[in-house]
């Protein structure tokens, strides 16, 4: 990855394109996951439309992985030129307690890089360790390449440390739109399908007295656009289930704008309500 970081971006995107097509053709088990997710969430789509979005999803996932080469190893000015912040960036200024709602689009790593490189605030995040220690060290170093004394927090750390950091003016980068099992989750609709969803966004916003600012990163031909949205008014409401359902509804709106850039390779519906059969 270090070796290919200086290559022109079109070359790297072409490499990712080929890699994505190969993975789509060979990794049938993950292709089935994507197909099931799309069938559940978009039952009105034709088979041809689902196949196209599934194939494009594999391509975008592979391209975003290859892009880590330059995000984490290229000259900082190259990164700054390719990762552009747009929208309501003022929402992330100052020292207000702030949670960035960053759903799992393929540009997730570019979003972290752009925010930490270009904004003079400290970011914290909850980190899931990788099974391979070499990969774990590489990912940690890459995601915290820029920023002011960045602090990753593991899932084993207590809530108290996170809340304290929020109230001290740090920005929390939160990705709560994945299935972490029944122990931490509640069932709320996602495209009309009950989905086990962690209510952490509502919980942390309430405990930290923080505003929630969605940040959606879109892959573009010349790099990435990191769009900062207006803070959500009236969030949290005090009802964690209602807040989490609202989070999923608003996430759907973001996905509808670029469905092939969402991380459909994840088994979003792996945890089912009691008595309901598995879908994968």
């Amino acid at each position: 990855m270090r070796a290919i970081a200086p290559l022109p971006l079109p070359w790297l995107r072409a490499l990712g394109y080929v890699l994505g097509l190969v993975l789509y053709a060979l990794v049938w088990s993950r292709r089935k996951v994507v197909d099931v997710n799309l069938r559940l969430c978009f039952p009105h789509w034709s088979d041809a439309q689902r196949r196209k979005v599934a194939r494009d999803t594999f391509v975008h996932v592979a391209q975003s992985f290859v892009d880590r080469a330059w995000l984490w190893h290229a000259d900082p000015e190259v990164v700054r030129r390719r990762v552009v912040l747009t929208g309501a960036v003022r929402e992330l200024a100052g020292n207000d307690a702030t949670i960035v709602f960053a759903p799992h689009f393929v540009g997730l790593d570019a979003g972290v890089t752009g925010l930490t490189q270009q904004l003079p605030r400290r970011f914290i995040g909850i980190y899931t360790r990788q099974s391979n220690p070499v990969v774990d060290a590489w990912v940690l170093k890459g995601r915290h390449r820029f920023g002011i004394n960045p602090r990753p927090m593991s899932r084993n750390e207590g809530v108290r440390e996170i809340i304290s950091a929020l109230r001290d003016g740090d920005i929390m980068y939160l990705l709560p739109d994945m299935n972490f099992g029944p122990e931490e989750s509640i069932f709320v609709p996602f495209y009309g399908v009950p989905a086990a969803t962690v209510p952490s966004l509502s919980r942390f916003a309430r405990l930290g007295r923080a505003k929630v600012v969605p940040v959606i990163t879109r892959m573009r031909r010349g790099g990435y656009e990191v769009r900062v949205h207006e803070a959500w008014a009236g969030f949290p409401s005090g009802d964690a289930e209602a807040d989490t359902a609202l989070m999923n509804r608003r996430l759907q709106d973001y996905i509808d704008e670029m469905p092939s850039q969402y991380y459909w390779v994840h088994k979003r519906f792996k945890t089912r309500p009691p008595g309901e059969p598995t879908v994968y």
Side-chain angles (χ1 to χ4, degrees):
M1 294 293 268
R2 291 190 183 94
I4 66 175
L7 294 176
L9 183 57
W11 294 17
L12 296 173
R13 288 286 170 83
L15 175 61
Y17 180 84
V18 173
L19 178 61
L21 293 182
V22 170
L23 293 174
Y24 177 76
L26 297 182
V27 188
W28 63 269
S29 59
R30 197 55 55 171
R31 189 171 71 239
K32 178 183 177 182
V33 171
V34 175
D35 182 67
V36 169
N37 286 338
L38 294 179
R39 286 180 182 276
L40 289 173
C41 294
F42 304 98
H44 55 286
W45 282 5
S46 66
D47 290 342
Q49 189 172 6
R50 275 194 296 271
R51 283 194 300 270
K52 183 182 186 308
V53 171
R55 185 175 60 250
D56 290 348
T57 296
F58 273 83
V59 167
H60 287 138
V61 168
Q63 288 177 324
S64 68
F65 178 80
V66 173
D67 279 347
R68 289 181 179 181
W70 59 268
L71 284 168
W72 295 354
H73 300 293
D75 184 274
E77 284 306 311
V78 171
V79 177
R80 184 180 294 272
R81 187 169 63 249
R82 292 178 181 174
V83 182
V84 180
L85 304 189
T86 65
V89 182
R90 66 184 183 283
E91 291 281 10
L92 302 179
N95 294 301
D96 293 339
T98 303
I99 298 175
V100 165
F101 170 49
H104 280 80
F105 288 94
V106 298
L108 192 61
D109 283 308
V112 174
T113 297
L115 292 176
T116 55
Q117 183 189 36
Q118 300 179 38
L119 296 179
R121 291 186 67 178
R122 187 168 85 150
F123 285 77
I124 61 172
I126 300 176
Y127 177 69
T128 301
R129 292 189 180 278
Q130 307 296 309
S131 57
N132 184 301
V134 175
V135 173
D136 186 70
W138 176 63
V139 171
L140 265 178
K141 185 176 180 180
R143 287 180 175 167
H144 298 91
R145 179 185 184 187
F146 302 110
I148 302 171
N149 191 24
R151 182 185 176 188
M153 296 182 175
S154 74
R155 294 193 172 278
N156 298 325
E157 291 190 62
V159 173
R160 182 176 300 178
E161 290 80 3
I162 296 173
I163 299 307
S164 176
L166 270 174
R167 292 182 178 179
D168 286 343
D170 294 347
I171 296 180
M172 183 180 190
Y173 198 84
L174 190 62
L175 305 77
D177 60 318
M178 298 192 87
N179 188 333
F180 292 110
E183 295 81 9
E184 304 179 32
S185 305
I186 58 176
F187 285 99
V188 293
F190 180 57
Y191 281 102
V193 182
T197 308
V198 288
S200 56
L201 184 64
S202 175
R203 183 187 185 194
F204 285 131
R206 177 177 57 83
L207 293 175
R209 298 191 287 271
K211 64 180 179 180
V212 172
V213 178
V215 174
I216 309 300
T217 302
R218 181 190 291 263
M219 179 185 288
R220 294 195 180 279
R221 178 173 296 181
Y224 292 89
E225 176 191 4
V226 184
R227 176 166 291 276
V228 182
H229 293 254
E230 301 286 345
W232 287 348
F235 192 100
S237 68
D239 184 333
E241 183 172 349
D243 288 343
T244 307
L246 176 62
M247 179 194 80
N248 276 357
R249 289 197 301 273
R250 291 184 172 170
L251 172 57
Q252 291 172 202
D253 293 337
Y254 304 141
I255 293 172
D256 288 343
E257 295 180 3
M258 47 178 183
S260 64
Q261 292 199 31
Y262 191 62
Y263 203 69
W264 295 113
V265 295
H266 170 63
K267 293 183 178 180
R268 187 64 184 87
F269 304 104
K270 180 178 180 179
T271 302
R272 305 297 296 140
E276 292 199 14
T278 181
V279 295
Y280 299 111

